[in-house]
Amino acid sequence: VLLAGGTGSGKTILCTQFICRGATQHGERGVYATFEEDGKTLRRNMLGLGFDLERLEREGLVRVIDLEAMKGAGVSANIEFILGTLRETGAERLVVDSLSAFLTACEERFEYRILMHMLYKILKAQGVTTVMTCSVPAGSPTLGLGIEEFIADAVLTLENVVEGAELKTRFMVRKMRGTNHSKKYHDAIVTGNGLKIVPFTAT
């Protein structure tokens, strides 16, 4: 699943919700690989929204891996580190936040395309439900580098829009293979329990 959106649209909140609810409500272990912010900051910020990552880590249900420290190690080393953590924990859910930062080490688009297909096949074969975030600059006609949305089974977007004098966030399912999904924008609201999607209702 590719989760695309601009700065401050709630991508990290939704990803943390996906990992934590998977562990607490469905008994599915999760791995959160963070590039965007260090693990300590992620744990602190998400605790304020009711997601106690540190407690879930102590219980062996969640593992947060900080890829910031491995930026100079190259893409292959990062991929092996993530796959090794999945094997070690037996995780069924994975978040890579963000794919944009994770793949900056790729020097050529050709190499990037091969890596994307390789990751897709490996994670699919292992039965790991994966959410990868992608930052979208304002006004950009594509998501990320323009390849991710064609490989992903689902593409979700979070967009910040100004309505009147208020900044709002809207959510849309742009693609989801094998199902007839909503084609409408829905409001996304940050609450004390994470990100809430408010279904569109015609007036």
Side-chain angles (χ1 to χ4, degrees):
V1 176
L2 180 67
L3 176 61
T7 302
S9 58
K11 298 187 299 296
T12 298
I13 298 173
L14 188 55
C15 285
T16 304
Q17 196 165 325
F18 166 70
I19 289 293
C20 291
R21 297 279 167 78
T24 59
Q25 297 182 7
H26 303 284
E28 296 183 359
R29 289 182 172 84
V31 171
Y32 197 118
T34 175
F35 248 116
E36 290 295 287
E37 57 185 338
D38 63 88
K40 183 178 179 180
T41 302
L42 174 69
R43 294 181 186 93
R44 184 184 66 239
N45 290 344
M46 293 303 104
L47 183 60
L49 291 168
F51 300 119
D52 194 341
L53 287 166
E54 193 169 349
R55 177 180 63 80
L56 293 174
E57 286 182 278
R58 288 196 304 268
E59 294 175 358
L61 295 172
V62 169
R63 179 80 61 86
V64 175
I65 55 177
D66 192 346
L67 297 179
E68 177 75 24
M70 294 185 63
K71 274 191 175 178
V75 174
S76 297
N78 279 291
I79 290 176
E80 184 51 43
F81 184 45
I82 290 173
L83 294 178
T85 305
L86 289 173
R87 289 191 296 268
E88 180 185 336
T89 59
E92 297 173 77
R93 297 189 180 205
L94 168 67
V95 163
V96 176
D97 187 13
S98 74
L99 183 61
S100 311
F102 176 65
L103 291 171
T104 50
C106 290
E107 296 179 357
E108 299 178 3
R109 185 65 62 89
F110 178 71
E111 178 190 1
Y112 171 67
R113 185 184 294 271
I114 291 175
L115 281 167
M116 287 299 299
H117 279 287
M118 182 184 74
L119 266 176
Y120 176 84
K121 288 182 178 180
I122 291 174
L123 295 170
K124 192 103 170 176
Q126 293 185 359
V128 178
T129 304
T130 305
V131 177
M132 296 188 178
T133 71
C134 168
S135 298
V136 182
S140 174
T142 61
L143 310 179
L145 296 179
I147 298 172
E148 302 95 325
E149 60 261 48
F150 299 109
I151 297 175
D153 287 325
V155 178
L156 314 177
T157 58
L158 286 166
E159 301 176 22
N160 288 329
V161 293
V162 177
E163 293 185 7
E166 186 178 358
L167 180 66
K168 294 186 176 182
T169 303
R170 60 187 186 180
F171 169 87
M172 176 179 274
V173 178
R174 292 194 176 272
K175 166 187 172 182
M176 190 167 288
R177 287 179 180 145
T179 185
N180 183 24
H181 58 84
S182 169
K183 309 296 193 299
K184 300 181 183 297
Y185 277 113
H186 305 278
D187 288 333
I189 304 170
V190 177
T191 71
N193 295 312
L195 199 71
K196 180 179 180 181
I197 307 298
V198 182
F200 170 85
T201 53
T203 56

